[in-house]
Amino acid sequence: MNEDYLEGYRKGVEDAVRLMKKALRGEKDNLLDRVKDYLIKKAEGKARHRKTKPKFVLRYGSTVLVNEKRGSKIYKIFDQALEKSSEGLCITHRKPSTVKFSKNVRVVWLTDYRRNEEQLGGMGAMLIGDGTTYTEDRIPPGDLSTLTHVIKKFMGEDRHRVIMIDNLNRIIMRVGDRYADIIKFLDTIRGCTAEHDGVLLISVDLNEINPPLRSQIEDSADDIL
């Protein structure tokens, strides 16, 4: 809640009380003033709470599950984590040109779509963006082997790096009933993250996963938000 909004809220309360006073012909002035003071203090308290809301506490070497449906919270947490990390890797189902962060990151696009290699200069990647440059890689969502290789290579190049995997549910859907492969994938990248003092953030809707697999996924994390 910004100052303009707070001031508007305060004025609205005062105007409402003024009209109520007129309607009651001043008989309840003292009571209405108390109500006004209470409402204003409540609004100020909400404003202070929003301004001082703690950020995500970054713990190097940890794997964090972000339990959500739409995959919006994890982007904010990832952006906060980037402030204290050396480099960032975003693994997403969203088109990379729609993903923006406070600093440059590498973006891996989980998609089956492949552009002509000649258009990509034979490198399998291209630079996109206006002002902010991203390297765009494409990996099929169910290709856990390639995804594991990319994560291990990225994390192994330096310490204190942060990786975000958006929407684990879609990866699970593509892998099918090979649950052992999912757990192996999570165990491998979690170990790599811990070894290199990085941070691994994974968004997942736990309510959409069957109980046995859900339990194993939860066990693979250090924290669940």
Side-chain angles (χ1 to χ4, degrees):
M1 184 181 292
N2 57 37
E3 294 297 329
D4 291 338
Y5 185 92
L6 180 59
E7 183 60 30
Y9 185 95
R10 186 199 305 272
K11 187 177 184 304
V13 171
E14 291 176 341
D15 289 344
V17 170
R18 190 177 301 110
L19 291 173
M20 291 170 67
K21 282 183 177 181
K22 289 182 178 181
L24 294 171
R25 297 179 181 176
E27 295 177 7
K28 303 290 184 180
D29 282 3
N30 186 51
L31 176 61
L32 292 172
D33 283 336
R34 289 168 58 189
V35 172
K36 179 190 73 173
D37 292 340
Y38 168 77
L39 291 174
I40 289 175
K41 286 181 179 179
K42 188 174 182 180
E44 291 174 341
K46 286 183 177 180
R48 284 194 296 270
H49 174 72
R50 292 189 180 186
K51 288 180 180 179
T52 60
K53 187 176 181 180
K55 290 185 176 183
F56 165 69
V57 179
L58 183 69
R59 290 197 302 118
Y60 294 120
S62 65
T63 296
V64 179
L65 293 182
V66 181
N67 187 17
E68 60 178 342
K69 276 185 173 294
R70 299 184 180 278
S72 57
K73 183 178 179 181
I74 193 171
Y75 282 85
K76 297 176 182 178
I77 295 175
F78 179 63
D79 209 31
Q80 292 174 6
L82 286 173
E83 296 175 5
K84 296 186 178 181
S85 67
S86 60
E87 297 288 342
L89 172 64
C90 170
I91 299 170
T92 178
H93 296 271
R94 303 183 185 186
K95 186 177 180 181
S97 58
T98 67
V99 178
K100 304 296 181 183
F101 300 108
S102 59
K103 62 187 288 187
N104 287 0
V105 301
R106 180 183 176 188
V107 179
V108 170
W109 189 9
L110 296 179
T111 178
D112 290 308
Y113 175 67
R114 294 279 180 178
R115 292 188 64 175
N116 189 308
E117 288 297 318
E118 293 182 0
Q119 291 179 294
L120 304 177
M123 299 174 60
M126 68 177 182
L127 301 180
I128 62 175
D130 182 13
T132 301
T133 301
Y134 295 91
T135 301
E136 177 181 309
D137 298 288
R138 293 174 171 85
I139 298 176
D143 190 349
L144 297 183
S145 177
T146 300
L147 194 54
T148 299
H149 171 76
V150 169
I151 292 173
K152 289 172 67 176
K153 185 175 184 300
F154 176 81
M155 193 63 79
E157 292 176 352
D158 198 0
R159 299 174 71 82
H160 297 167
R161 292 191 163 195
V162 58
I163 294 176
M164 181 195 86
I165 300 178
D166 177 24
N167 200 340
L168 182 64
N169 298 73
R170 291 188 65 178
I171 295 177
I172 294 173
M173 181 179 66
R174 289 297 299 272
V175 173
D177 59 0
R178 304 197 320 269
Y179 295 157
D181 291 347
I182 291 291
I183 300 306
K184 179 181 178 181
F185 167 70
L186 292 176
D187 286 344
T188 300
I189 61 177
R190 180 190 181 191
C192 180
T193 299
E195 181 179 356
H196 295 283
D197 289 327
V199 176
L200 177 61
L201 304 170
I202 303 174
S203 75
V204 57
D205 183 359
L206 292 172
N207 295 326
E208 294 297 322
I209 299 176
N210 67 59
L213 180 59
R214 171 177 176 165
S215 178
Q216 294 184 75
I217 291 174
E218 291 175 339
D219 289 343
S220 69
D222 298 297
D223 294 296
I224 301 177
L225 301 181

